[in-house]
Amino acid sequence: MVIVLGIGLYMMIGSPNLVKKVIGLNMFQSAVFLFFIATAYVTDGHVPVVSGHGGADIRYASPLPQVIVLTAIVVGVAVTAVALALIIRIYNEYGTLDEASVQEVQRHDR
Amino acid sequence: MTAEWTLPLLIVVPLLGAAVALAAGRITDNGGYWVAAAVLTAEAVIAGRLIAAVYSGERIVYQVGGAALSRPEGLAIGIELLADTVSVFLLPLIVGVAGLLLPCAVRAEHRTTAFYSVYLLLTGGLMGVVLTHDIFNLFVFLEITGLATYALVASGRSKVSAVAALKYLMIGTVGASCYLIGVGYLYMVTGTLNMTDLAQVLAGDGFIQHALYTDPLVVTGFAFMATGLMVKAAIFPLHTWQPDAYETAPDDVSAYIAALVSTAGAYALARLMFTVFTPEFFAATPVAAEIVIGLAAISIVAGSLLAAMQHRVKRMLAYSSVAQFGMIVAAFGIAAHPAGGSTALTGGIIHLTGHGVLKAGLFLAASVIAARHGARTIQEYAGMGERFPIGAAGVALLGLALAGMPPSIGFVGKWYIAVGAVSSGLWPVAAVIVLSTVLTLLYIARLLEQVYVTSADIDTADSSGYPVQLAAVLGLAVLAVVLGFAGNVLYDLLAPFVSEVYAP
């Protein structure tokens, strides 16, 4: 999880291309989701779906972190969608996706 | 009849209204505007009912999904919404600013149907942040608020607003992910996400029969959550998104987000520090409070100095927000610190609301002056006192209120914070807070000097009077002064929450 988080963070900072920054952001968020799923692990745990009438002495993996991750994935998808829409608009306005060129144009416009 | 039904409605009505606004926009050209107006009026009525109920002594908890959910082992299963004296304190600000700024557009090109839909989404998200009682639900509503804000910032047709919105998006999402990591740590230790239950389990009332305040997981959880919320509240050095976003957004959007979005972040930080990690946590780990206070104090100084260096008025106001939120978070830190200073908590919350009122007014005034005279830099504000006396009066009143001149709401907030700081004996922070008035005056006085002392050589007014916007600015300025006389009332309104926080 730490490796993925580190790679994501480095991509966001180090990569000049705006789309790669968004990919880095996604990797950062995926690392957080991995962290949550890892906490839900129970040794010899079953999928948390109760079959039959329940009540049997079965260990289930904790379902709440899984629900949290599902919600967070949806939030992440929405954020990525907005980010990509903004990138399309930046491309139409500036004609480039390179962060340094965008900053150069902004400095020139000022 | 209890007012429980108001809680979910306050959140759901704007969210549904956003969808209805999109549909209405297909039917008539201005449908989005009227739907938004209707929804915000309904919100005001429902909020009024809730405020009346809470301030007559009730503390309302609403279980999403029905009250029939049991509580195995004493912990809540579902998501709860809570209306207590402090969450309801912020409701008039949210509903008021949202309703006031709806008719206040100076330029209307960005006001498409989608704009009104996102405007209502933002209102719904803010309501959710203020009313929720579950830390993961808080994350979801913070993200809803954030997404709506990114879209609103980008609604300006200029090139720079898209880049500013993307920058805000990336920094804001990293902050929210940090907050989520913190939630993960807390959940691992306590097994619950409900704020009251978290406080209980952390105190040693749950599965684990001793206090968890020095547990490394808990401390790390706090560190991550606080970092994430400080990104939202724009504390130095996590503030870099704020100047670009406030400056490049359309003028009425700047007023809305400056008044409310970081306010929600700071409110969430207060909830975290006082309801979840009670002052007992900071008594066990005082270094946490000290780091929060330290960063906030640096924010006050850095924000004010950076604001004094700006040429463009909206950018100056954005850095001013950094400084003001530094003061608010410093107040929360002082109140949490074991050295005492509970007055600072009241002061922080009062200043949070006061700052919202003042910044909304200042950004609105800046928008009117920019529209009427084309003045966006401080140089161009020269002689505004003669050219536009009413607008200049509004700017002066609001600016002086921001600096903490009595009688104004800015003074009330600062007074309680300063009393708390001095009574806690944390001398460096108390000095910074007392000096913050001078620091604020650094940039406010610079502006006022241009407005009133420097004379203008040309007069470039356009003929339209912008009566609605001007009335709104003057209304907010008068409100700031009137609230300044209500300091005692505000203190008493918040007293139940403060005594609950510090109850042994």
Side-chain angles (χ1 to χ4, degrees):
Chain A
M1 172 237 175
V2 174
I3 300 175
V4 179
L5 197 134
I7 295 176
L9 206 52
Y10 179 69
M11 273 181 81
M12 278 207 297
I13 303 174
S15 163
N17 187 312
L18 290 176
V19 177
K20 285 192 184 163
K21 285 186 194 282
V22 173
I23 298 176
L25 187 67
N26 262 307
M27 288 188 72
F28 188 89
Q29 290 183 309
S30 301
V32 179
F33 305 153
L34 276 176
F35 168 65
F36 264 90
I37 293 290
T39 68
Y41 180 67
V42 170
T43 330
D44 297 332
H46 287 240
V47 172
V49 175
V50 177
S51 57
H53 296 284
D57 205 11
I58 310 179
R59 306 174 74 165
Y60 294 106
S62 171
L64 185 52
Q66 306 183 8
V67 168
I68 291 179
V69 170
L70 274 174
T71 314
I73 289 177
V74 171
V75 171
V77 166
V79 168
T80 310
V82 174
L84 291 175
L86 285 173
I87 287 181
I88 292 179
R89 186 158 134 205
I90 293 177
Y91 186 69
N92 286 334
E93 307 265 4
Y94 287 94
T96 172
L97 279 180
D98 184 54
E99 153 204 40
S101 316
V102 169
Q103 280 180 334
E104 189 63 43
V105 175
Q106 284 188 322
R107 225 174 295 138
H108 183 73
D109 279 344
R110 207 158 278 183
Chain B
M1 189 185 119
T2 67
E4 250 188 15
W5 55 271
T6 55
L7 278 164
L9 272 186
L10 275 177
I11 302 177
V12 165
V13 164
L15 295 180
L16 283 179
V20 172
L22 274 181
R26 294 215 160 258
I27 306 177
T28 69
D29 252 349
N30 233 356
Y33 178 82
W34 293 112
V35 170
V39 164
L40 287 173
T41 322
E43 281 282 286
V45 169
I46 303 175
R49 173 73 185 90
L50 182 61
I51 294 171
V54 171
Y55 283 128
S56 64
E58 293 173 54
R59 180 182 186 271
I60 304 178
V61 174
Y62 176 82
Q63 279 265 27
V64 175
L69 291 175
S70 62
R71 292 181 136 239
E73 289 147 1
L75 299 176
I77 300 185
I79 296 177
E80 281 184 0
L81 302 176
L82 172 74
D84 70 356
T85 46
V86 71
S87 42
V88 160
F89 197 82
L90 283 178
L91 277 186
L93 179 70
I94 300 177
V95 174
V97 170
L100 187 69
L101 289 175
L102 191 63
C104 277
V106 164
R107 297 204 190 309
E109 306 111 21
H110 60 277
R111 290 239 170 168
T112 57
T113 313
F115 177 89
Y116 291 113
S117 175
V118 177
Y119 193 92
L120 286 175
L121 266 181
L122 180 54
T123 315
L126 288 166
M127 288 290 177
V129 171
V130 162
L131 291 174
T132 185
H133 204 50
D134 176 289
I135 52 176
F136 181 68
N137 202 222
L138 185 60
F139 165 77
V140 173
F141 277 117
L142 278 174
E143 285 291 79
I144 295 179
T145 314
L147 278 172
T149 316
Y150 312 146
L152 283 180
V153 167
S155 65
R157 291 283 155 232
S158 64
K159 305 190 326 191
V160 283
S161 51
V163 178
L166 188 64
K167 186 172 174 184
Y168 181 11
L169 185 149
M170 299 192 67
I171 301 180
T173 312
V174 171
S177 305
C178 279
Y179 176 83
L180 191 58
I181 297 178
V183 168
Y185 276 121
L186 268 191
Y187 177 70
M188 263 164 64
V189 172
T190 58
T192 175
L193 291 171
N194 184 301
M195 291 185 193
T196 337
D197 294 339
L198 270 172
Q200 261 184 322
V201 175
L202 285 176
D205 230 353
F207 303 99
I208 307 176
Q209 286 301 316
H210 66 86
L212 291 167
Y213 294 129
T214 49
D215 190 306
L217 280 176
V218 170
V219 177
T220 322
F222 174 75
F224 273 109
M225 290 171 91
T227 310
L229 291 174
M230 287 204 273
V231 169
K232 296 283 177 188
I235 301 297
F236 188 92
L238 304 161
H239 68 291
T240 46
W241 57 268
Q242 201 172 65
D244 288 334
Y246 284 14
E247 189 197 355
T248 60
D251 291 331
D252 49 335
V253 170
S254 289
Y256 190 1
I257 61 182
L260 293 179
V261 174
S262 287
T263 309
Y267 164 84
L269 187 59
R271 267 280 174 229
L272 186 72
M273 286 171 72
F274 293 102
T275 307
V276 177
F277 294 89
T278 53
E280 273 97 59
F281 168 75
F282 296 99
T285 323
V287 76
E290 280 160 20
I291 294 181
V292 170
I293 296 176
L295 280 176
I298 298 176
S299 193
I300 300 177
V301 177
S304 307
L305 291 177
L306 285 167
M309 293 184 339
Q310 299 303 317
H311 293 295
R312 281 169 290 172
V313 173
K314 280 178 77 171
R315 217 170 160 82
M316 175 193 91
L317 291 175
Y319 278 112
S320 154
S321 269
V322 174
Q324 300 297 324
F325 274 103
M327 180 146 59
I328 293 170
V329 173
F332 293 150
I334 293 170
H337 196 274
S342 62
T343 342
L345 174 57
T346 320
I349 300 175
I350 295 179
H351 196 58
L352 197 55
T353 348
H355 171 265
V357 169
L358 295 171
K359 272 294 151 62
L362 279 169
F363 271 104
L364 257 187
S367 75
V368 176
I369 293 178
R372 238 174 145 248
H373 299 270
R376 289 208 173 267
T377 65
I378 300 203
Q379 264 67 21
E380 287 164 5
Y381 268 55
M384 203 58 73
E386 302 153 4
R387 291 149 72 183
F388 189 18
I390 307 180
V395 169
L397 264 178
L398 291 164
L400 289 175
L402 194 63
M405 203 72 54
S408 69
I409 186 77
F411 171 71
V412 172
K414 273 201 194 186
W415 171 253
Y416 284 124
I417 299 176
V419 165
V422 169
S423 75
S424 73
L426 297 165
W427 295 114
V429 185
V432 171
I433 291 190
V434 170
L435 276 178
S436 70
T437 308
V438 175
L439 292 170
T440 315
L441 276 175
L442 266 181
Y443 50 89
I444 294 290
R446 190 166 157 246
L447 183 66
L448 291 181
E449 189 228 354
Q450 282 287 319
V451 167
Y452 282 114
V453 177
T454 320
S455 57
D457 14 81
I458 41 164
D459 190 4
T460 54
D462 78 7
S463 50
S464 40
Y466 301 105
V468 178
Q469 288 81 352
L470 213 42
V473 170
L474 289 175
L476 285 171
V478 168
L479 180 67
V481 176
V482 164
L483 282 177
F485 287 104
N488 270 330
V489 175
L490 298 173
Y491 189 88
D492 291 334
L493 284 178
L494 286 171
F497 174 68
V498 175
S499 53
E500 194 186 304
V501 163
Y502 288 100

